[in-house]
Amino acid sequence: MEIDPGGGFPNGSGLNDEFLDLALSAQGAIGWTFDFVDQRITWTPGLDTLLGMSGAPKDTLRARLAELIEPWTVAAETTTQWQDLDLEQPITTADGGTRLLQFHARPFGGWQAAGLIGLVREVTDQHRDRQALADLASRYRLLVELSPEAICVHQKGIIKYANAAMSTIVGAESSKELLGRPVADFVAPHSIAEMHERIRSLTTAGTATPRAQADLRRVDGTPVPVELVAVHTTWEGHPAVQVIGRDVTAQKAAEAALRYQAALVQHVNNAIIATSRDGVVTSWNPAAETVYGVAADQALGRHVATLVGAPLRPEALIAGGGVTEAVHRHQDGSALIIRISAAEMDSGYVLVCADETARRQAEQDFATVVAALDEGVIVMGRTGVVESANPAAERITGVPAAEIVGKSPTSWPLSDESGVTLRPEEHPSVMPRQTGKPENSRVVRVDLPDGRKTWLRVTCSPLNPQDRPPHKVVASFTDITESRAARERLEHEATHDPLTGLANRTLVLRHLEVSRRRTLPTAVLFIDLDNFKRINDSLGHGTGDEVLRITGERLVRATPDGALVGRLGGDEFVVLVDGESDHAVLHRLVQRLLAVLTEPVRVQGRQLHVNGSIGVVLVGPGDTRSGMDLLRDADVAMYQAKAHGGGRCAFFGVDLRERVQRHMVLEQDLRHAVANDELWVAYQPVVDLRGDRMVAVEGLLRWSHPLHGTVSPGEFIPLAEESDLIVPIGAHMLRLATRQIAAERERHDLDLHLNANLSPRQLEDPDLLDHVQHALADSGLPAHALCLEITENAIMQDTTAATRILTALRELGIFLAIDDFGTGYSSLAQLRRLPVDILKIDRTFVTDLGTCDEVEVIVAGIVAMSHAVGLDVVAEGIETAAQLAIIRDLGCDQGQGYHLGKPYPIGELFPPPADRR
């Protein structure tokens, strides 16, 4: 191989131009060639220096260069012409240093390469610079990737890069989830406008926005506050924006906490004082100004002990536990009870001083009040054990406070109002302690150690309802033993008959209501003594009261256990039997009661006999009748029994109920019958038996009911009598009859008399005289044309009173007649003393005429004696011609009955003249 370091390249090879190109592209390079044919290597001057072999022989240089390019000399034989080859080789210099040489070569010699032509240069500095740049880029990449601040690059609004911190802030699983998405997706809507404004301010590369606050939006949509800076940068050669931000959530929370703490210090009720380590005040909040009466500007810089009016060493307080209580002084010298808490700070101490003066005073006042109460008060802890008891609790229970404290009230034997012993879990204090709900005004009986049984009214409440259970409980109680006994006495007096000691009407009705609510079958037995009024009238009320007392005792003995016996008033008793509805059983009970009633009663040396009538009502489940309704129905049944002769019983049934309901309806309707013009008068002729002419008519009241039609007088007259409606109805009937008869007397020129009935109630009416006078005056009927008929029984009830009112009526000039004579207990001798003019023989005597000689004798005697005392006689109820003949033969003056004429309306009795023709 020939070496020609100075000869250049072979002439005519055309390599000079090639070499020139290489030299131009690589400054400081050494040229070299290698011929594949003769293995010849050439190089340009400076190779020894480049290889660090200055002054080395050429063979040494050749060998070293051949060694360095050997990889090419082997590979270049197969390399296509004009394909550049590069190779970097490190070399060690003579001084032990290392250089990095870059070989650049190109084959020459046509399509089949004849050799290599190349350059070699030192690239040690460039390699070092490149490595430094790569290291720098690596460090920057790590810095960005691992930065705790969020970094992202967006270009035209699309995210091109995001580090891990950025994905963490927005809640993405990785940075890849952000790439390619609009940056606006991760900005809160209200911060987008500000973002665009910041981007528009980045006009040139490298410019940055001032730090700003904004809200990003997490993947789940929640906002996150950040502080950020935007920088104009490039990405892949094009303008972009790099955003660096950090999550300031914690910072904002801390700032809020600081603001809260500052506000707390300013607004708490406790004095908060900061001092230096030697006790000089550095902070004095408004509460401290209020508590101690010293303004903050006067307190700052002064020793804390002089301000609070007492020694105060925070370090000693902290050493002793950090909390104590002391007496401080207000600026005006008044004492303050202060609870002090101390804590150490870097610069000194902070003291929290709570003014307990008012609370302590309130506690003292409360303790004084509780101690002065007449009401017992005990406080129980969370475990139910008594922690304190006031003097009243000692007095009421008779147990010293020392023996009450430390024990659980559930150990005391308590009973409820019915006498049932309470289980421990049923004691009044248990539920308030467990649930916090108060137990108000519960009445219990406590068995005290001294043997007394005391009734208490207890109220238990949680001491602090806001606490979690179990609660501390305060129990207050009063001794109601005496008041309860008094109440029971009053209750007994209010619900029991003072004469017999039996239940009164109030208790009977209450018992009936309780039985109805329990849906128990109940039997109501209403008992009324027969003819008891005779005992009172003849022997006096004292004897009558004794009979009633004995009757009550006998009824109690005869009734089964559990039955309630009561006296409703007068001679009315009631027996209530719960749980019984069997007719046979009740019938036997009724017979037993009737039997004991008929046993002789010995009172004041007299042996008396009484009897009774009993009405029975059965009450089944679902019965909607009230207690008053049941007593009323039983009373109706009792009257049914009495109507059949007394001394027996009657059960209230459907038919009786219907009859009673009808009577009730009729009674109500009867109250409006006059106003509704439903009442009218029918007239029955009274005939003079000597001349066979009509001399009078008897006015008989009739009722045309709008729904029930004609109602029988036998049905509605008793209703009017019982309800006292007979007085206004009788007055109405008298006015109507006198007006009609007066009109007919005048129209027909008749000397016709009107007979009108007076009931016993009318006879007792103090306004009767006025009613009669007004009727006569309004109608124009002469007084002598009116005859008022009074029943024999009505007169005999009170002869003296009857005589007085009849005399007054007789003085008006009207006639008076005794109606239904023979049904009462009067005699003609008694009637002789009454101012009456006419005697009407009852129809029961007339009915039997012709069939019974004795009746004829009686009627003959009545007629004879009546004539003897100046009375005219009228026979009622003449139904046949035979009866009329006998009555005429017996000397009766007048007759009345269906044979002589039925009752007619006034228009039929006196028809118009055309009809008479």
Side-chain angles (χ1 to χ4, degrees), residues 306-496:
T306 62
L307 295 170
V308 302
L312 184 56
R313 295 176 56 238
E315 66 279 9
L317 177 58
I318 294 172
V323 179
T324 189
E325 194 171 272
V327 177
H328 289 180
R329 294 287 174 181
H330 190 273
Q331 189 180 29
D332 62 8
S334 60
L336 304 171
I337 300 175
I338 303 295
R339 179 170 49 83
I340 312 166
S341 301
E344 189 172 6
M345 300 187 301
D346 293 339
S347 59
Y349 304 95
V350 61
L351 304 170
V352 179
C353 301
D355 187 359
E356 300 287 311
T357 308
R359 183 179 66 82
R360 284 301 184 87
Q361 184 63 47
E363 288 178 352
Q364 187 174 19
D365 293 346
F366 175 76
T368 302
V369 171
V370 171
L373 287 175
D374 288 334
E375 190 174 17
V377 178
I378 62 174
V379 176
M380 288 159 279
R382 296 179 182 273
T383 62
V385 174
V386 176
E387 295 180 348
S388 65
N390 72 338
E394 296 184 73
R395 174 177 50 78
I396 292 173
T397 63
V399 180
E403 297 182 16
I404 298 176
V405 174
K407 293 184 179 180
S408 172
T410 57
S411 62
W412 301 341
L414 299 182
S415 305
D416 62 15
E417 292 190 85
S418 61
V420 177
T421 301
L422 299 180
R423 298 190 301 272
E425 63 271 19
E426 295 175 329
H427 279 227
S429 64
V430 174
M431 290 303 292
R433 183 166 59 87
Q434 294 177 347
T435 66
K437 295 181 179 180
E439 181 88 37
N440 295 319
S441 299
R442 186 171 173 184
V443 175
V444 297
R445 190 190 70 193
V446 58
D447 298 336
L448 298 177
D450 59 5
R452 290 183 297 135
K453 297 184 184 298
T454 301
W455 287 95
L456 304 178
R457 187 182 302 278
V458 183
T459 294
C460 295
S461 303
L463 201 59
N464 188 353
Q466 285 72 37
D467 288 346
R468 291 183 176 179
H471 295 269
K472 296 184 71 173
V473 174
V474 58
S476 59
F477 51 90
T478 54
D479 186 349
I480 61 170
T481 305
E482 292 185 6
S483 63
R484 183 181 175 85
R487 188 188 69 188
E488 289 176 350
R489 287 194 299 271
L490 291 174
E491 174 71 13
H492 185 274
E493 292 174 0
T495 56
H496 288 77

Side-chain angles (χ1 to χ4, degrees), residues 634-670:
D635 187 27
V636 168
M638 181 274 298
Y639 273 108
Q640 184 75 3
K642 194 179 288 287
H644 287 82
R648 62 191 67 199
C649 75
F651 282 77
F652 188 84
V654 175
D655 57 338
L656 188 56
R657 176 184 288 114
E658 292 176 351
R659 189 158 60 252
V660 169
Q661 290 174 345
R662 174 179 168 85
H663 286 180
M664 186 184 306
V665 171
L666 290 178
E667 178 186 328
Q668 295 302 317
D669 292 346
L670 188 59

Side-chain angles (χ1 to χ4, degrees), residues 585-619:
V585 174
L586 292 173
H587 186 74
R588 287 194 295 271
L589 173 60
V590 167
Q591 295 305 315
R592 188 162 64 249
L593 294 176
L594 291 174
V596 299
L597 289 176
T598 57
E599 294 177 2
V601 179
R602 179 166 291 278
V603 178
Q604 297 179 357
R606 294 176 179 270
Q607 183 169 292
L608 305 176
H609 296 272
V610 295
N611 203 345
S613 299
I614 302 178
V616 183
V617 170
L618 298 181
V619 188

Side-chain angles (χ1 to χ4, degrees), residues 93-349:
T93 62
D95 59 3
T98 300
R99 290 181 180 179
L100 184 65
L101 301 182
Q102 182 186 48
F103 291 86
H104 186 77
R106 177 181 299 169
F108 67 89
W111 65 273
Q112 185 174 2
L116 295 174
I117 180 171
L119 297 175
V120 58
R121 65 172 179 167
E122 182 180 359
V123 293
T124 304
D125 291 340
Q126 292 90 328
H127 181 77
R128 185 181 299 113
D129 291 343
R130 218 171 34 246
Q131 186 62 45
L133 183 59
D135 290 346
L136 178 61
S138 177
R139 287 195 298 274
Y140 176 75
R141 184 176 63 255
L142 290 174
L143 179 64
V144 171
E145 289 292 339
L146 301 177
S147 172
E149 295 192 335
I151 299 174
C152 82
V153 177
H154 60 88
Q155 192 176 58
K156 295 182 179 180
I158 303 301
I159 297 176
K160 298 297 184 179
Y161 170 80
N163 69 347
M166 182 65 182
S167 61
T168 299
I169 284 181
V170 299
E173 294 183 359
S174 68
S175 300
K176 293 180 180 179
E177 190 177 339
L178 308 181
L179 300 181
R181 293 184 60 178
V183 68
D185 287 354
F186 303 99
V187 179
H190 62 271
S191 294
I192 290 179
E194 297 177 0
M195 177 190 74
H196 290 313
E197 186 65 29
R198 286 193 297 271
I199 293 173
R200 283 194 293 270
S201 70
L202 301 175
T203 56
T204 59
T207 57
T209 63
R211 286 190 174 275
Q213 298 279 336
D215 284 343
L216 297 184
R217 183 169 61 181
R218 294 172 57 87
V219 172
D220 61 6
T222 57
V224 52
V226 295
E227 183 182 76
L228 52 81
V229 173
V231 181
H232 190 293
T233 185
T234 60
W235 182 266
E236 296 180 347
H238 299 285
V241 177
Q242 177 173 307
V243 181
I244 303 102
R246 62 188 182 92
D247 186 349
V248 294
T249 304
Q251 176 183 332
K252 285 184 172 293
E255 291 173 353
L258 288 174
R259 288 193 298 271
Y260 171 77
Q261 291 171 2
L264 186 65
V265 169
Q266 291 298 311
H267 295 93
V268 294
N269 293 326
N270 293 337
I272 299 179
I273 306 168
T275 71
S276 63
R277 291 198 171 274
D278 56 2
V280 175
V281 174
T282 59
S283 176
W284 186 267
N285 74 336
E289 295 181 330
T290 302
V291 171
Y292 294 102
V294 179
D297 57 352
Q298 298 176 1
L300 297 178
R302 296 172 59 186
H303 197 278
V304 66
T306 62
L307 295 170
V308 302
L312 184 56
R313 295 176 56 238
E315 66 279 9
L317 177 58
I318 294 172
V323 179
T324 189
E325 194 171 272
V327 177
H328 289 180
R329 294 287 174 181
H330 190 273
Q331 189 180 29
D332 62 8
S334 60
L336 304 171
I337 300 175
I338 303 295
R339 179 170 49 83
I340 312 166
S341 301
E344 189 172 6
M345 300 187 301
D346 293 339
S347 59
Y349 304 95

